[in-house]
Amino acid sequence: MSVADLLSQVRQAYTARRGRFEFVGVDSSFRLLFVVRGEDITVRTGESEIATVRRLDLMRSALHAAQDFARTETARLDPDDAAYRDLRSELRRFEALLTV
């Protein structure tokens, strides 16, 4: 579930020109903040800045990592499982944005 939620936040940050988008891991205190300024997105956790990257670069990296995760980890899930469906749906949304 967290992977689909993270993809959703990255996708929202990608489509925005300005704003702040926060990801909070399911059942954890892990948080990422995405701060969008034009073509750049700064990724932060707590008070620490992780990196500032181009929006498209973040999107591509997130997509490739999620595709790798889906290839290796979703084999354990039932295709009717909500987490499986959410991840597949978010991957399709990501792919659609990058093929436009």
Side-chain angles (χ1 to χ4, degrees):
M1 191 65 156
S2 288
V3 174
D5 291 343
L6 177 57
L7 289 177
S8 176
Q9 292 304 310
V10 171
R11 183 174 47 79
Q12 289 178 44
Y14 176 77
T15 58
R17 289 289 182 199
R18 291 197 114 26
R20 300 165 69 91
F21 303 88
E22 185 175 39
F23 165 76
V24 179
V26 175
D27 293 332
S28 77
S29 59
F30 181 75
R31 295 174 183 267
L32 287 176
L33 178 65
F34 301 96
V35 181
V36 182
R37 289 186 189 96
E39 291 299 314
D40 294 329
I41 296 177
T42 299
V43 184
R44 303 182 62 85
T45 182
E47 296 300 315
S48 301
E49 182 176 313
I50 297 171
T52 298
V53 296
R54 303 298 280 177
R55 288 178 13 205
L56 186 57
D57 292 340
L58 178 61
M59 192 73 167
R60 286 179 178 149
S61 294
L63 176 60
H64 292 296
Q67 287 170 329
D68 288 345
F69 175 84
R71 264 191 301 279
T72 60
E73 302 301 320
T74 58
R76 301 179 204 164
L77 296 175
D78 181 330
D80 291 328
D81 183 274
Y84 179 90
R85 288 193 318 267
D86 288 348
L87 178 58
R88 290 291 171 198
S89 174
E90 200 56 50
L91 281 170
R92 282 191 297 276
R93 288 182 181 130
F94 246 70
E95 292 162 352
L97 278 175
L98 289 177
T99 58
V100 172

